[in-house]
Every structure is written in C-alpha cells, then in structure tokens.
Amino acid sequence: MKNYNEGILAYEQAIKFNSSKKATTKALYEVSKLKIELGDYYGASYTLERAGSLDVDQRVIEKLKTFTEGATAIMKKKFRRGIENLNYLARK
C-alpha cells in the first residue's frame, strides 16, 4: 500500500512498548528498511544506531547497518570508506 509513514509509526510503537527481543529487533529492522526505501539513509542510520541502547539481536541488523554506513559515507563524499563498506557486504 506504500503507506510508509504509518508503517514507521506502527513499528516505532512496537519498539517503544515491546519487551520481546525478537519483536524489537524485527521492528527496528523494518523501520530502517522503510526509511531506506524512502531514500532517508541518514534516518535509517540513526535508527540503527539506536540498537546500541535497545535489547536487539545485533547480528540481524549488522548487514543493514553496514549498508547504511556505506551509503551515508558516499553521500558525504567519503567514497573510499563507503565503497569499502559495500564491498564488505558483497563478500559476506
């Protein structure tokens, strides 16, 4: 239905009120994916940074975090770092 903003709000509520590690991880992952689909790489990166203060499975979000770090590095014209991140993902 492409109603990204409502989806993001629903997942944010799940993060806020859920005590399940699996559900919180899934919600954080989905919020990040939706922001990437909207072209908001900085927002996705910030969302994934929140994982450090939440009870989530870090392994699940690792690749998405590496991707957003690479994309934002390229946007900041730090091409070498961005390409290194993206190459790292390609090797995994």
Side-chain angles (χ1 to χ4, degrees):
M1 294 175 65
K2 304 292 182 191
N3 202 346
Y4 295 106
N5 290 328
E6 285 190 30
I8 289 170
L9 289 174
Y11 283 121
E12 286 291 350
Q13 291 296 311
I15 293 167
K16 183 176 180 179
F17 295 112
N18 203 318
S19 60
S20 163
K21 183 175 186 172
K22 184 175 181 180
T24 303
T25 302
K26 173 77 171 160
L28 189 74
Y29 185 86
E30 292 299 326
V31 168
S32 300
K33 279 183 21 181
L34 288 171
K35 287 184 178 184
I36 289 169
E37 286 187 43
L38 289 169
D40 184 6
Y41 296 99
Y42 289 110
S45 182
Y46 173 73
T47 297
L48 292 166
E49 287 297 320
R50 292 170 43 207
S53 62
L54 297 170
D55 184 24
V56 297
D57 185 350
Q58 297 292 330
R59 295 172 298 145
V60 172
I61 62 166
E62 180 183 340
K63 287 183 181 180
L64 198 54
K65 190 172 183 178
T66 302
F67 171 77
T68 58
E69 288 172 355
T72 55
I74 289 172
M75 291 169 70
K76 294 176 183 176
K77 300 187 184 214
K78 296 180 181 178
F79 300 113
R80 179 173 289 193
R81 180 173 160 223
I83 291 171
E84 286 172 356
N85 277 24
L86 299 177
N87 282 335
Y88 173 78
L89 286 174
R91 291 189 301 267
K92 281 196 142 199

